Amino acid sequence: MERNVFDDAYLGDLSSISPDKVIENISDFGIVTFSVDSGNARHALVGLAQALGEIRSHPHSDRDGATSIAPRRDNDLHPGRMGFTQERLLPHTDASSMASPPDLLLNVCATRAEHGGETLLVDMRSVLTQALKTNPVALERLSAPGTVIFGTGGFSRASSVFAVRNGRIHVRFRQDEGVFFGAPVLKEALELIGLVDAMTVRMSLEEGQGYIVDNHWWLHGRASFAGPREIIRILADVRADRSGGVGETGFPWHVSSTAQEKIRVGTVG
Ligand SMILES: [Fe+2]
């Protein structure tokens, strides 16, 4: 039976959750789930995001920094606007083509779909652990700078799937029109796509239920759906000067100094 992610990561009602506890759990597990009075969900989520750090504004966000993710009648199937359709979104890192993707993704369900629309989640620490069992150079290769291009059309950025910094690994991953894997990492990228698919967990959110993930650790997506589903989304960065300690993003990982050096210089051959 599939693990119940919502219950495992549940911290309680948003009105009683301490921001310090959220940061602590995000640093340890990369994910937190919560519930909130659905009439107050947007306001409460904005308040928590401000307590955790800085809200990252987005071209589609409103003045409070939150974005309503719901089907829009005038929408096409443009890659950057797939969120505003009823289509499936394969698990991905948000804003993967930016120089620094946001640290946190906060999502709360405002309106549940009639059918489908389950949240898809992938723990990339588990995926990497699994990948290394069959391919010991997977991390080294997929950390080489410039081996993956993220973006579409006129805007793109050469980067890598993994980046190792201070004993933690930051992930950038997607598998839609917004990514191009270079030939030297194609084998590893295909293996990773298979593992991401096999290790995706589904979470069905009721109205007023939500989650926060470390965008450098967990991938998120959604199943296709029918009906007027609405999710309120906030992207945020953990603020370095917040009281109560600073949570670290990305997942902890022991890298030997030899491996670290190989990764740093981008050895892929
Ligand atoms: Fe997303």
Side-chain angles (χ1 to χ4, degrees), residues 137 140-145 147 184-185 188 262 265-269:
V137 297
E140 185 185 321
R141 290 188 182 227
L142 290 168
S143 303
T147 49
V185 297
E188 283 75 20
K262 278 187 183 171
V265 299
T267 308
V268 293

Side-chain angles (χ1 to χ4, degrees), residues 6 69 81 97 135 143 159 188 202 211 218 223 231 260 262:
F6 188 85
I69 309 283
R81 294 176 53 82
S97 62
N135 184 348
S143 303
S159 186
E188 283 75 20
R202 285 175 171 251
Y211 66 95
W218 286 72
I231 295 284
Q260 175 73 63
K262 278 187 183 171

